[in-house]
Amino acid sequence: MDIVDLSARVQQAERRALARAITLVESQRADHRALSEALLVALAKSGRQSLRIGLSGTPGVGKSTFIEALGLQLIAKGLRVAVLAVDPSSTRSGGSILGDKTRMERLSQSEHAYIRPSPNQNHLGGIARRTREATQICEAAGFDVVLIETVGVGQSEIAVSHLSDIFLLLLAPAGGDELQGVKRGIMEIADIVLINKADGELKSAASRSCADYASALRLLGQRTQDPEGFPKAATVSALEKKGLDAVWQDICDLAQWRRANGHWEQTRQQQAGYWVREDVEQGMLARLETPWVAAELARLSKDVAQGEISVTAAAQQVLRGLGV
Ligand code: GDP
């Protein structure tokens, strides 16, 4: 495989090259990993940056409707949009939330959009790495916006927040009690909380929910990376395409403020550090998967159970054996 050629064609946003590059970084084969590394190094030289927008929400909340509506509006403004998905939990459509061809039908037909389904993997670490690398590929291909979608379960939002410049949380209108259902950790990483389906009969419930979430966000307090008024809550109707202009304006305002105040680069640097650390942790854990460790653990667990050695001393023996 000619990596120099592939890199050049990705940077010209050739769709087949893009698909090939993402398939390459998704591959688990050792020789493909080496090629992926070479490709990512070559692509990094482009120096291009997209606006990376993370979007989370439970199934049915309206993510694909929202992405399609917003994506089409951005394309109408002359922007190019890529959509990636992180979905470690689902077995629908063979593990892919974007596998269903009817999702984002109009957006997927646009030559200014690129939609990549989630790969069939169950391991979040693997999916996070693949999504991170696919994001880098889309940036080098010159997409103005990369939307990274995740279902609102488990740790995937946290992973996506570490890949995003701006993180949106999409929620359905609910009674006041259900506010408790949103985990604090997720509220803490959201830049904009959007109450979708603010139309028809749900409109007033959406306004009430929006006020509830706004006060919940105020209670969490203002963060250093935010200007006055953020994080914020707003209502939208993805179906009726209402509120989308305001959301885009908020996203642009926030991005611009963070750029002007040094938070943009700082956050990207922190994110790079996060991912290196993640990789180190994975590497360390992989070192535990050896027959020697298994045998040591079996031997030491007996000694610990019989009270001959403490848990801490046993762990230290293993760590010493590993040279840590
Ligand atoms: P996803 O699973 O989060 O991607 O949700 P979908 O975009 O597939 O939407 C789930 C259902 O909610 C579909 O029947 C949509 O038509 C509906 N839906 C999405 N957005 C809205 C909205 O703004 N208003 C209303 N009333 N329904 C919506």
Side-chain angles (χ1 to χ4, degrees):
M1 192 180 299
D2 184 346
I3 290 298
V4 176
D5 178 58
L6 184 58
S7 157
R9 290 195 293 122
V10 166
Q11 289 180 59
Q12 279 156 27
E14 267 185 45
R15 300 182 81 82
R16 279 185 54 205
L18 258 175
R20 214 163 151 220
I22 296 179
T23 304
L24 181 67
V25 299
E26 280 174 9
S27 171
Q28 313 269 21
R29 272 172 48 180
D31 55 335
H32 286 171
R33 278 313 306 154
L35 289 169
S36 298
E37 290 297 328
L39 176 67
L40 293 170
V41 167
L43 290 176
K45 297 201 180 92
S46 80
R48 288 172 172 163
Q49 277 195 348
S50 312
L51 174 60
R52 304 174 178 180
I53 303 173
L55 175 76
S56 172
T58 47
V61 75
K63 293 181 298 302
S64 43
T65 312
F66 177 82
I67 291 173
E68 168 145 286
L70 182 67
L72 288 169
Q73 288 203 359
L74 298 183
I75 284 168
K77 291 181 200 292
L79 300 174
R80 292 170 59 233
V81 180
V83 182
L84 304 170
V86 178
D87 180 17
S89 60
S90 174
T91 49
R92 282 183 288 157
S93 318
S96 166
I97 46 174
L98 292 178
D100 180 351
K101 288 234 165 40
T102 60
R103 290 183 93 227
M104 305 179 206
E105 202 169 3
R106 287 181 55 212
L107 187 61
S108 62
Q109 281 166 11
S110 166
E111 57 172 316
H112 304 293
Y114 181 75
I115 301 182
R116 181 75 182 185
S118 182
N120 294 331
Q121 285 180 18
N122 268 320
H123 172 49
L124 178 60
I127 295 174
R129 196 205 69 211
R130 161 267 174 202
T131 310
R132 188 179 74 241
E133 294 177 345
T135 304
Q136 289 169 256
I137 291 169
C138 291
E139 288 201 308
F143 284 97
D144 301 290
V145 174
V146 179
L147 268 157
I148 310 165
E149 176 193 8
T150 180
V151 287
V153 287
Q155 287 298 302
S156 61
E157 292 103 336
I158 306 295
V160 171
S161 78
H162 287 290
L163 287 174
S164 312
D165 301 311
I166 290 186
F167 193 80
L168 310 181
L169 176 62
L170 206 59
L171 297 169
D177 303 350
E178 289 175 53
L179 183 86
Q180 309 296 327
V182 179
K183 284 172 245 123
R184 188 190 160 99
I186 293 163
M187 290 289 280
E188 279 170 352
I189 58 174
D191 294 309
I192 306 175
V193 173
L194 294 171
I195 320 300
N196 190 33
K197 307 195 183 183
D199 49 48
E201 287 176 358
L202 291 170
K203 204 167 173 179
S204 56
S207 301
R208 276 198 307 277
S209 289
C210 183
D212 287 345
Y213 285 107
S215 52
L217 287 172
R218 268 196 301 279
L219 282 178
L220 288 175
Q222 196 174 339
R223 305 168 301 188
T224 52
Q225 72 270 30
D226 289 334
E228 192 66 36
F230 286 92
K232 67 157 59 178
T235 55
V236 286
S237 167
L239 200 63
E240 295 184 354
K241 302 178 180 47
K242 289 206 181 109
L244 300 178
D245 280 335
V247 173
W248 180 241
Q249 192 58 52
D250 283 340
I251 290 171
C252 292
D253 289 348
L254 188 53
Q256 198 186 8
W257 189 88
R258 286 183 178 167
R259 278 205 174 95
N261 289 279
H263 294 291
W264 183 277
E265 281 309 315
Q266 198 187 356
T267 302
R268 285 220 171 185
Q269 239 174 60
Q270 281 168 357
Q271 290 176 339
Y274 172 88
W275 290 110
V276 174
R277 195 194 151 89
E278 274 286 306
D279 258 30
V280 171
E281 278 182 20
Q282 292 304 319
M284 297 286 276
L285 289 174
R287 284 179 59 186
L288 296 180
E289 303 302 321
T290 66
W292 180 82
V293 173
E296 278 294 279
L297 289 178
R299 182 177 69 79
L300 287 163
S301 58
K302 269 193 214 128
D303 295 349
V304 171
Q306 284 164 10
E308 285 167 20
I309 181 174
S310 74
V311 168
T312 305
Q316 271 165 1
Q317 271 193 34
V318 177
L319 286 172
R320 265 199 304 278
L322 287 167
V324 179

